[in-house]
């Protein structure tokens, strides 16, 4: 990123954080699991952008490109079709929506950045739903797909 860009990013992030409503003043404060109005619903994080060639919106370029990769390889998929309820170690509930249901037999999750909370959800998903096949697509796997397909699949996003 470079030192200058990193400093600009840090300054902008600081400005954004000053405007946020934090702690007890946040209307979502203390609303975990079933108390959260988004509980059990598909994830709304990220900006959904409609892709004409796919016929549906995606949260990111990577997800859109992965859809194109699946279609190119004649694999059927559904995008975020189901939300699963997970039980956390403290017995609270949370929800998890995998990105893709592929060939009506396996769940694919595309993640460029594997943060701890996501890794925990992946592990919980695999333990609590042992009959569901789960395939994480990490940054390295996505980049290997990108290297092979970016110039041959139409509408690939850079």
């Amino acid at each position: 990123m470079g030192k200058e860009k990193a400093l600009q990013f840090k300054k902008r992030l600081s400005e954004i954080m000053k405007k946020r409503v934090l702690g007890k003043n946040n209307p979502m404060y203390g609303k975990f699991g079933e108390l959260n109005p988004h509980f059990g619903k598909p994830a709304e994080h990220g900006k959904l952008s409609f892709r004409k060639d796919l016929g549906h919106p995606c949260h990111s370029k990577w997800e859109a490109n992965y859809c194109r990769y699946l279609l190119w390889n004649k694999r059927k998929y559904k995008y975020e079709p189901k939300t699963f309820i997970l039980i956390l170690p403290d017995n609270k509930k949370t929800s998890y929506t995998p990105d893709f249901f592929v060939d009506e037999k396996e769940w694919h999750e595309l993640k460029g950045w594997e943060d701890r909370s996501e890794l925990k959800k992946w592990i919980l998903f695999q333990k609590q739903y042992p009959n569901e096949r789960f395939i994480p697509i990490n940054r390295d796997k996505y980049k290997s797909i990108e290297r092979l397909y970016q110039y041959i699949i139409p509408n690939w996003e850079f």
Side-chain angles (χ1 to χ4, degrees):
M1 179 185 292
K3 189 174 182 177
E4 186 177 323
K5 287 277 187 189
L7 289 172
Q8 289 174 350
F9 177 77
K10 187 177 179 181
K11 183 180 176 186
R12 179 73 180 124
L13 186 60
S14 176
E15 290 168 3
I16 290 168
M17 292 307 289
K18 286 177 187 174
K19 295 177 184 177
R20 298 189 103 184
V21 180
L22 301 173
K24 292 181 181 179
N25 296 324
N26 185 325
M28 293 302 293
Y29 180 82
K31 295 185 178 177
F32 299 103
E34 295 174 87
L35 297 175
N36 187 312
H38 303 289
F39 181 77
K41 297 177 184 173
E44 294 180 15
H45 62 279
K47 184 178 179 182
L48 280 169
S49 297
F50 189 82
R51 272 45 180 215
K52 289 181 184 179
D53 63 314
L54 299 173
H56 63 79
C58 292
H59 288 288
S60 69
K61 289 188 227 179
W62 280 25
E63 288 182 358
N65 288 339
Y66 193 71
C67 292
R68 293 178 183 107
Y69 161 76
L70 291 171
L71 291 171
W72 183 264
N73 286 287
K74 302 199 182 334
R75 299 193 67 188
K76 295 179 184 177
Y77 73 90
K78 292 179 184 174
Y79 183 70
E80 295 186 345
K82 184 175 179 180
T83 298
F84 294 87
I85 305 302
L86 301 176
I87 308 297
L88 298 172
D90 61 1
N91 286 326
K92 289 183 181 176
K93 292 181 182 178
T94 189
S95 56
Y96 173 62
T97 306
D99 294 328
F100 305 96
F101 188 51
V102 180
D103 297 331
E104 297 191 20
K105 64 181 177 182
E106 57 195 29
W107 298 96
H108 292 201
E109 176 70 29
L110 190 64
K111 257 319 170 217
W113 300 96
E114 297 174 11
D115 63 31
R116 288 183 184 172
S117 65
E118 287 300 321
L119 290 174
K120 286 179 188 175
K121 282 188 176 183
W122 294 358
I123 292 165
L124 287 173
F125 178 80
Q126 291 174 31
K127 284 182 181 177
Q128 294 175 22
Y129 295 91
N131 295 332
E132 302 288 348
R133 184 155 186 231
F134 180 76
I135 300 174
I137 310 295
N138 64 16
R139 185 180 199 288
D140 293 339
K141 176 69 174 166
Y142 174 81
K143 287 297 187 179
S144 69
I145 291 168
E146 184 176 59
R147 276 191 296 278
L148 291 171
Y149 290 94
Q150 65 185 335
Y151 297 112
I152 60 173
I153 295 179
N155 301 309
W156 194 271
E157 296 176 42
F158 295 93

